[in-house]
Structures are given as C-alpha cells and as structure tokens.
C-alpha cells in the first residue's frame, strides 16, 4: 500500500495502527526507508523512550547501504546488554552470543568465511568489562572486524550500575556518592591495542556517524567506533542530565572536534564528568590484517 | 593536449555562445512531507527538539501503547525543508520524509 492512498496523509501523519495492509498483516507494512533493512514486524523495539541505540543502528544500516555491502555478506554479532538487542531488529545474518563473547564468535565467523563483512555491535559493559580481554586481543591481531561500542557510561539493562566506563565522580546505583574509579579511555585503549581505525561520535552526530560507518565498513583490519549514547532512564536520571533529547544535546554541547584541536594542546580523549569530550576520527591506518599474515603462514607450512 | 571541449550552443547567426548560466545567488529550496508511523512512536521528542524548522510537536492523545506521538504543528505543514534529520535521528524508525517533486 502507499501512504498517498490514506486520507490521513493529507494532514502529514499516517497511522499504521488504523491502516493495516489489505490482508490485515501489519508485518507486511513497509513504510520507512529503513524498513527493508529492518525486521519491521519486531518493531517497536524494546529500547526505552529516549534511548540512542536505535539512532546508532540506523546509522549502521545507512553505512551498509552506502558502502555497498551485499545483503548476504552482512553479519552482526552481539553479546548481552541493551545494545546487543540489535540482532533482533536488523535484517542481516546475526548471532546473539553469551556475555562478552561477541568478538570471539565474530572472529570465528570471519575466519570461516573471510568474504563476510562482520560487525560486532555491543555495549561498553559487554565489550570492556566482561569481554575486555577479547577486545584487546582481537585488536592486537588486527582481526577483520568492525566493533561498534554503544557507550552509555553504565550497565543500563540491569539497573544502572557503575561499570568500566562510568566517569569519575558520576553517580550510579552502585556508586551513590560518586564513582571512585577512573574510566577506560576507549579510543586510546583501542589504538594502543593495535586497532587500525578508531573513531568516536555522539548520537546527535548522526550524519558523521553515517559517514564513519560507510568509511569503516569498506576498510580492513580492526575498526572501532565508539558511540556516546544517552541513557535517560539510568545514567541520565541519576546524574540529573534529563531526558534523552536533553542528554544528547548535553553531550553535543560538550564535544570538541579532534580536527579543531591543535596538536600542541593537552586535550586528551579521556571522558571527565561535565568536561569537554573530544570526538572525531583518531586512527586511520591500512595495516596487514590477521588473515593476510595467517595466509602467509599457511603457504609457508604447505611448502 | 588534454583540453576539454565545453558544451556550446550555436545561435542562428552561427556564432558559438556559452550556455545559459545558473544563478548561484538563488538557493534551491527543497520541500518535503513528513510522515509519522504513530504505532512506533515512543514520545522521545528527538524529532521535536532537533527539527531545524521546529515544525513538530507532541500531540495531546495517546496511542494504544500509552505514548503521545509526534505530529506536525497546525499550519506548519508546508515548512518541511526535506533535510531528513528527523528520519536519521529517530531511534524508533517512526518518522520519514518524502521529498516533494519540484
């Protein structure tokens, strides 16, 4: 059906609730431009009101389309957490692994079929607390993976506990008087471990995020994109930042583009509560990947 | 020598002329129509807050899921500039823009 046929479209809005497809099947509706990339029958998704994960997934799907990755070559692997639910909504091959084990599974997928374009989409807790070692070693090997980290600074799904990315002094349900720990500096961590592409954006930088995903999906090696997403029901609420839109605006107001910083100034990429956040592309290298080196070893062994 | 032949039109007198120039000081303004899939909307207000034309608002009625969906402000239907930012920023895939053909 087309939206022009519905009388409600004259007012600029249509309601899928009152205009089902001719066979009465709501799943058959394809309205949104991303609907052919989504399992639209599963929508609306489970993420909270004001969550930024949907925006980041939309940017990734845009990247898949614009990087001309064929549908049958798209794979998303995720762990446990809010952001790991993307595998239920993206119309790609997908696997929902156990907690923290998305990267090992994705490594296996890539080694089994090197023609696939494998994306790991997980949260900060899954990638850096429970699966921290896997991240480090996949980066060291320069595995052919795009790792997308949705960083909301806490464990959102389990009730807003403090985690390895909670900024110092930030409130959470396990740090009610302020976090005493220093958080991971994710771009520096990825770069130090050997990633060949590292970028960080907030969810309000949608267009930049789309361009980054388009660029990163066409590259090889270990690529890491950190997305600073709002979590209005736990991090935003406990730290009194406000609604999802207000949290997005807040991060956007704090951000400094990496390209605008003079190389001599001492602005680090570390996230400090209520202090400027440096965003941009930090690393972009073409390096030999694990698959290249492994092929050489195999050839040598066969001699 | 690598010279590129520019397209030239020829007048009736046979003298070659440059093609008509497009004025650069006259910006092309795009227009679009906003469509909202109300059953998906979760009232996060991203489209309302970030629309550059401020042409959206939260409606005063509730969907079956208990959210008040976004709607186009009365009298602002023609204001959409088809920038599609609402479409990109919407985390629910509930709003999209169809650009009007000029």
């Amino acid at each position: 059906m087309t939206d022009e046929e519905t009388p409600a479209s004259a007012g600029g809005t249509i309601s899928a609730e009152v205009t089902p497809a001719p066979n009465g099947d709501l799943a058959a509706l394809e309205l949104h431009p991303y609907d052919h990339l989504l399992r639209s029958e599963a929508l609306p998704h489970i993420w909270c009101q004001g969550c930024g994960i949907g925006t980041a997934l939309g940017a990734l799907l845009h990247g898949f389309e614009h990087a001309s990755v064929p549908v049958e070559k798209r794979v998303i692997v995720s762990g446990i957490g809010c952001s790991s639910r993307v595998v239920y909504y993206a119309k790609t091959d997908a696997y929902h692994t156990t907690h923290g084990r998305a990267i090992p599974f994705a490594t296996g997928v890539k080694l089994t079929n090197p023609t696939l374009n494998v994306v790991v989409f997980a949260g900060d807790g899954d990638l850096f607390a429970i699966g921290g070692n896997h991240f480090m070693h996949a980066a060291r090997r320069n595995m052919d993976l795009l790792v997308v980290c949705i960083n909301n600074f806490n464990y959102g799904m389990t009730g807003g506990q403090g985690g390895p990315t909670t900024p110092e002094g930030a409130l959470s349900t396990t740090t009610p008087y302020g976090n005493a720990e220093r958080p991971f500096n994710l771009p520096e961590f990825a770069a130090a471990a050997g990633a060949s592409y590292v970028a960080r954006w907030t969810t309000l930088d949608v267009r930049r995020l789309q361009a980054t995903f388009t660029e990163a999906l066409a590259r090889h090696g270990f690529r890491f994109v950190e997305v600073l997403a709002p979590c209005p029901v736990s991090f935003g609420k406990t730290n009194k930042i406000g609604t999802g839109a207000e949290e997005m605006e807040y991060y956007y107001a704090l951000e400094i583009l990496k390209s605008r910083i003079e190389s001599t100034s001492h602005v680090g990429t570390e996230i400090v509560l209520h202090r400027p956040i440096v965003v941009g592309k930090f690393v972009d290298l073409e390096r030999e990947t694990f698959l290249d080196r492994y092929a050489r070893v195999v050839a040598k062994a066969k001699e | 020598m690598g010279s590129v032949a520019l397209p030239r039109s020829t007048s009736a007198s046979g003298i070659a002329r440059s093609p008509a120039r497009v004025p650069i000081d006259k910006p092309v303004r795009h227009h679009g129509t906003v469509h909202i899939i109300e059953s998906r909307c979760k009232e996060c207000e991203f489209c309302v807050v970030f629309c550059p034309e401020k042409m959206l608002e939260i409606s005063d009625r509730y969907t079956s899921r208990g959210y008040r969906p976004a709607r186009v402000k009365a009298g602002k239907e023609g204001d959409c500039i088809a920038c599609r930012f609402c479409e990109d920023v919407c985390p629910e895939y509930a709003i999209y823009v169809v650009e009007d053909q000029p």
Side-chain angles (χ1 to χ4, degrees):
Chain A
M1 59 164 274
T2 61
D3 38 74
E4 283 77 20
E5 289 160 20
T6 59
S9 67
T13 56
I14 61 159
S15 171
E17 278 183 338
V18 294
T19 54
N23 58 358
D25 184 11
L26 275 173
L29 280 175
E30 286 223 344
L31 301 164
H32 195 274
Y34 286 161
D35 270 7
H36 69 289
L37 306 168
L38 291 162
R39 297 180 201 275
S40 44
E41 70 277 8
L43 294 174
H45 50 60
I46 63 151
W47 297 314
C48 308
Q49 180 187 40
C51 178
I53 299 169
T55 310
L57 176 62
L60 178 67
L61 297 174
H62 180 278
F64 272 135
E65 286 289 278
H66 286 255
S68 307
V69 182
V71 181
E72 65 275 14
K73 299 292 179 197
R74 300 173 190 174
V75 180
I76 298 182
V77 182
S78 72
I80 299 294
C82 295
S83 40
S84 300
R85 296 283 304 188
V86 297
V87 296
Y88 296 105
Y89 306 118
K91 204 183 263 180
T92 63
D93 285 335
Y95 197 78
H96 196 175
T97 67
T98 48
H99 208 353
R101 313 300 171 227
I103 288 178
F105 187 88
T107 303
V109 171
K110 184 69 190 181
L111 290 181
T112 312
N113 187 350
T115 63
L116 297 176
N117 207 326
V118 186
V119 177
V120 174
F121 199 106
D124 50 314
D126 190 75
L127 281 172
F128 293 96
I130 295 92
N133 258 295
H134 300 303
F135 180 89
M136 204 161 76
H137 291 284
R140 177 178 60 82
R141 294 183 188 118
N142 203 14
M143 267 311 302
D144 247 336
L145 300 173
L146 168 60
V147 178
V148 182
C149 174
I150 302 293
N151 187 358
N152 56 9
F153 308 110
N154 73 137
Y155 290 104
M157 184 178 255
T158 50
Q161 291 87 351
T165 51
T166 310
E168 194 178 335
L171 306 179
S172 70
T173 50
T174 49
T175 59
Y177 301 104
N179 186 18
E181 301 168 12
R182 283 186 67 198
F184 266 137
N185 182 346
L186 301 185
E188 295 258 319
F189 179 35
S196 26
Y197 187 99
V198 179
R200 173 201 269 164
W201 296 111
T202 71
T203 39
L204 197 48
D205 302 296
V206 201
R207 298 275 157 82
R208 288 161 174 162
L209 210 49
Q210 289 173 348
T212 295
F213 284 136
T214 309
E215 190 180 53
L217 281 165
R219 296 293 170 88
H220 297 285
F222 192 86
R223 293 144 284 160
F224 175 64
V225 180
E226 182 188 4
V227 185
L228 304 180
C231 184
V233 299
S234 51
F235 190 80
K237 197 162 92 181
T238 40
N239 290 285
K240 297 186 174 54
I241 300 173
T243 64
E246 283 166 356
E247 199 172 344
M248 273 166 93
E249 277 190 318
Y250 175 71
Y251 295 151
Y252 189 75
L254 286 181
E255 75 175 37
I256 305 174
L257 281 179
K258 193 236 171 201
S259 52
R260 301 245 173 98
I261 301 171
E262 288 174 35
S263 56
T264 50
S265 66
H266 296 283
V267 183
T269 50
E270 191 170 6
I271 290 179
V272 183
L273 202 62
H274 309 312
R275 294 299 306 277
I277 300 168
V278 179
V279 297
K281 186 165 77 174
F282 301 105
V283 180
D284 188 3
L285 301 165
E286 276 293 337
R287 281 201 293 220
E288 238 185 353
T289 68
F290 176 76
L291 288 165
D292 300 335
R293 289 195 297 266
Y294 192 64
R296 233 179 16 243
V297 172
V298 169
K300 200 174 168 185
K302 279 181 177 170
E303 275 173 16
Chain B
M1 282 294 287
S3 64
V4 180
L6 292 168
R8 281 176 176 274
S9 58
T10 312
S11 68
S13 58
I15 301 163
R17 276 194 193 165
S18 299
R21 289 182 301 163
V22 180
I24 56 167
D25 54 346
K26 198 177 170 190
V28 182
R29 210 171 149 82
H30 298 272
H31 290 281
T33 310
V34 179
H35 297 276
I36 296 163
I37 307 167
E38 294 189 344
S39 62
R40 289 185 191 172
C41 182
K42 278 190 197 149
E43 200 190 328
C44 69
E45 299 189 340
F46 286 5
C47 54
V48 175
V49 173
F50 302 127
C51 174
E53 295 292 310
K54 301 284 178 229
M55 62 173 287
L56 297 162
E57 64 180 0
I58 296 295
S59 55
D60 44 13
R61 56 189 182 77
Y62 289 84
T63 60
S64 57
R65 288 174 190 270
Y67 296 110
R68 293 175 299 171
R71 71 173 175 207
V72 179
K73 280 182 192 167
K76 289 252 186 182
E77 289 83 359
D79 284 14
C80 180
I81 54 168
C83 72
R84 292 172 175 266
F85 194 72
C86 54
E87 192 180 301
D88 288 336
V89 87
C90 178
E92 314 288 336
Y93 318 105
I95 187 166
Y96 63 100
V97 176
V98 177
E99 194 171 341
D100 300 337
Q101 295 304 315

